[in-house]
Amino acid sequence: MTILSKNKVKKEFLFIAIVFLFFLALSPILLNESPLKTLVIFLSLVSWFGLFIYTKDILFSSLLCIFVVLPFNITLQLPVAVEIFNTEISFTEPFVEGIFVNYLVPTISVLDIGILLSLLSILMTKGFSFYNVLFRNFKNGLFLFFGFLIVQNVFLSNFNSFLFSLRLFSLVLLFLSVLQITKEEKLDRTGRERIITSGVVILLVNVLIQGILGVIQFKRGSSLGLGFLGESQVVSGMTGSSFVELSGEVFLRAYGTFPHPNVLGGFLLMTMFLGVCLYNSRRKLAGGLLVIISFLFMIFTFSRISILLGGVVILVFILKEFLFKKKSLLSFSLSPLLFLERFGNLFNGGDRSWSERLDLMKRSFRVIKENWLLGIGGGNFVKGMEGFVPRGSSGILLTQPVHNIFLLCVSEYGILGFLLIFYVLFYGVIKNVKRISLYGILILFVIVVIGVFDHYLFSLPQGVVILFSLLFLLSSSLQGKWGREV
């Protein structure tokens, strides 16, 4: 081992030691919040260290750690106000028309730890010069976006908006950094195989855990008491729980440890695409298995958009891999009558979700009109509707973001912020396009469809990570790295 590599290893182990010491310093606060959640976070850090030992790459072990914790909705809600010298200072106001709204509470997610570790890993291995080059490559787009977020948050002075903006900018920076690194660096075969093997195991284990938990939740009609893993406390038929009424029976939709069944559906869509990626990279057994089990478990989420899009992915996959190669096809039935009823409710008046989405979209235009330049602030859409919050079919106020990430982005960041976000991401995706693949087009289609009908890809930490993972796969596909050109 050369002196340079020895120094590199020493620096990486020192970095890991500092992270664990920082965790120990914060552990009294975390233990006071939840001992079991603290244990899960500690085990996540242990898995990060284990991945580093196995892959011998601090950056990719940090990225893999994000996917280890992605399914677990472990969060820490920060106080909305503090008392200093007998004076209460409020950071944010989490009430809208007298109703407490979770979306308005400043929250730190376990995913933020993985994102921070990844950014620090890049800084440690590449230095500040890497970011200087990265910012220059985007022709001041990143500087303008960063400057906009500073101006917006100074103007709004809202802690919840600050945390949302910080998470968004960190993910944008991480996304562009990983694109640049994967373009420039060539891993040796052993290192690449270790990283891919680790990723395959993480994905398969997570899909199995989430799928099995979801099926059990569906069968018993309630959650399993795994709140320390982020599981929502839900019961079929209870207000605030997501369930479906089919053939006179009430069924709880599968949550896993995600905050909503739709988010679990989005996660399984992402793993389906990763399965396709593995299949096309000659890991056919692992890739095919990941595609199949992801889709089968997706059915129990009763997420119509996810199931339809998953069906499209399966159809394209079968047509491209088998029919076009003149191989025999097996008949495959996707939807029993029970699930057809779930989709039929859209047209027979048995489901109000579509009209409620339309009501929220109408309110979003008013929020945009009143905050068209700087926006209402990240995570503050519901606050922007105060005074004209729509009501659902049961008469309950719809205190949730508009189910459209494009309208949500314009509402929270204004026209200027939306254009800057779009420019940076669009430029990052197409910067080095060599050829367009069929799966690249399919990924873009999935992002747009989900984005038009739901909000979690932009409003929830897990959803935003799923979005950027899909964008990375889209970028890799457009560059011809794993998608086959049409």
Side-chain angles (χ1 to χ4, degrees):
M1 184 181 290
T2 65
I3 294 176
L4 184 63
S5 60
K6 284 182 179 179
N7 289 336
K8 178 176 177 291
V9 170
K10 286 181 181 179
K11 189 164 61 172
E12 289 170 342
F13 274 103
L14 177 61
F15 171 61
I16 292 171
I18 291 172
V19 170
F20 273 93
L21 287 173
F22 186 71
F23 171 78
L24 289 175
L26 289 178
S27 58
I29 300 174
L30 298 174
L31 286 168
N32 186 56
E33 175 71 19
S34 171
L36 286 176
K37 285 185 179 180
T38 305
L39 176 61
V40 173
I41 295 173
F42 175 73
L43 292 176
S44 300
L45 291 176
V46 170
S47 71
W48 170 60
F49 178 66
L51 287 167
F52 167 69
I53 295 297
Y54 178 68
T55 63
K56 297 179 172 58
D57 190 304
I58 191 67
L59 170 57
F60 283 98
S61 62
S62 300
L63 293 172
L64 289 170
C65 184
I66 293 177
F67 289 95
V68 169
V69 300
L70 174 57
F72 305 112
N73 186 34
I74 300 173
T75 58
L76 174 65
Q77 289 190 335
L78 302 179
V80 298
V82 296
E83 189 173 301
I84 301 177
F85 301 118
N86 296 322
T87 303
E88 187 177 88
I89 299 176
S90 178
F91 294 126
T92 187
E93 178 55 53
F95 293 91
V96 173
E97 300 189 17
I99 298 175
F100 181 82
V101 181
N102 270 327
Y103 290 105
L104 299 178
V105 179
T107 302
I108 296 177
S109 167
V110 67
L111 283 168
D112 296 328
I113 299 173
I115 296 167
L116 180 61
L117 289 177
S118 298
L119 289 173
L120 290 175
S121 299
I122 294 173
L123 184 62
M124 184 187 65
T125 55
K126 302 294 181 181
F128 285 102
S129 59
F130 173 82
Y131 287 114
N132 289 335
V133 174
L134 186 69
F135 273 69
R136 284 201 304 271
N137 285 346
F138 284 86
K139 303 183 185 304
N140 297 321
L142 275 173
F143 277 117
L144 289 172
F145 180 42
F146 183 65
F148 167 81
L149 292 178
I150 291 176
V151 171
Q152 185 198 48
N153 282 281
V154 168
F155 181 78
L156 295 175
S157 299
N158 184 280
F159 191 51
N160 187 47
S161 174
F162 170 74
L163 283 181
F164 263 78
S165 299
L166 184 60
R167 182 181 295 122
L168 177 62
F169 185 77
S170 298
L171 273 168
V172 169
L173 192 60
L174 180 59
F175 167 68
L176 299 177
S177 299
V178 174
L179 279 181
Q180 188 71 17
I181 291 169
T182 53
K183 173 191 170 186
E184 294 176 349
E185 291 192 359
K186 300 296 182 183
L187 293 171
D188 62 87
R189 184 173 181 179
T190 302
R192 185 173 64 251
E193 287 300 319
R194 285 175 175 171
I195 291 169
I196 292 174
T197 300
S198 301
V200 170
V201 171
I202 291 169
L203 289 171
L204 285 172
V205 169
N206 271 344
V207 168
L208 285 171
I209 290 174
Q210 297 304 310
I212 292 171
L213 287 179
V215 171
I216 296 174
Q217 290 165 344
F218 169 77
K219 289 190 68 175
R220 67 179 285 175
S222 66
S223 52
L224 310 179
L226 302 176
F228 64 95
L229 292 178
E231 183 192 28
S232 300
Q233 303 305 301
V234 289
V235 177
S236 60
M238 183 179 73
T239 302
S241 302
S242 187
F243 56 90
V244 290
E245 296 183 33
L246 303 172
S247 301
E249 293 187 63
V250 178
F251 297 93
L252 182 69
R253 298 170 61 189
Y255 277 74
T257 56
F258 286 87
H260 194 276
N262 288 354
V263 190
L264 173 56
F267 168 75
L268 293 173
L269 268 173
M270 181 195 75
T271 57
M272 285 183 71
F273 279 117
L274 287 167
V276 172
C277 171
L278 290 170
Y279 188 92
N280 286 340
S281 62
R282 299 176 185 175
R283 295 171 179 83
K284 295 189 181 297
L285 178 60
L289 184 62
L290 194 56
V291 170
I292 293 169
I293 63 174
S294 294
F295 183 72
L296 291 177
F297 285 137
M298 188 185 297
I299 293 173
F300 292 92
T301 69
F302 286 86
S303 172
R304 288 170 292 212
I305 293 175
S306 295
I307 294 172
L308 283 173
L309 292 174
V312 172
V313 174
I314 291 282
L315 180 62
V316 171
F317 181 75
I318 290 175
L319 291 176
K320 194 169 189 304
E321 298 301 324
F322 297 95
L323 185 62
F324 292 165
K325 293 183 180 180
K326 298 181 180 180
K327 293 185 179 180
S328 61
L329 287 173
L330 296 175
S331 60
F332 186 72
S333 176
L334 294 177
S335 48
L337 292 177
L338 189 65
F339 297 101
L340 284 177
E341 183 179 347
R342 167 71 173 157
F343 289 92
N345 284 342
L346 278 173
F347 308 102
N348 61 17
D351 194 310
R352 288 277 298 169
S353 63
W354 175 242
S355 61
E356 291 175 355
R357 279 172 163 81
L358 285 177
D359 288 339
L360 285 168
M361 287 181 184
K362 292 174 184 177
R363 300 307 193 277
S364 73
F365 293 123
R366 184 167 172 180
V367 174
I368 292 171
K369 183 180 178 181
E370 295 178 357
N371 306 274
W372 65 272
L373 182 59
L374 292 179
I376 193 65
N380 284 344
F381 177 84
V382 179
K383 193 68 177 178
M385 289 195 301
E386 190 158 26
F388 50 93
V389 182
R391 291 185 179 273
S393 56
S394 59
I396 298 175
L397 292 174
L398 296 175
T399 52
Q400 54 188 277
V402 57
H403 287 58
N404 183 301
I405 64 172
F406 308 103
L407 292 175
L408 182 59
C409 183
V410 178
S411 300
E412 295 187 344
Y413 293 96
I415 294 175
L416 180 58
F418 173 79
L419 291 175
L420 287 171
I421 294 170
F422 180 81
Y423 165 75
V424 171
L425 294 181
F426 180 77
Y427 189 71
V429 169
I430 70 165
K431 190 169 182 275
N432 298 297
V433 172
K434 294 179 180 178
R435 53 183 181 258
I436 298 176
S437 76
L438 175 61
Y439 290 117
I441 296 171
L442 191 56
I443 292 171
L444 181 60
F445 175 72
V446 165
I447 292 173
V448 171
V449 172
I450 294 178
V452 167
F453 294 103
D454 217 320
H455 62 79
Y456 65 84
L457 290 180
F458 197 75
S459 62
L460 300 175
Q462 291 162 299
V464 182
V465 171
I466 291 171
L467 171 62
F468 279 94
S469 300
L470 290 173
L471 286 174
F472 181 79
L473 288 176
L474 171 62
S475 306
S476 301
S477 175
L478 290 176
Q479 294 175 34
K481 289 184 178 178
W482 60 269
R484 298 172 186 173
E485 68 272 20
V486 181

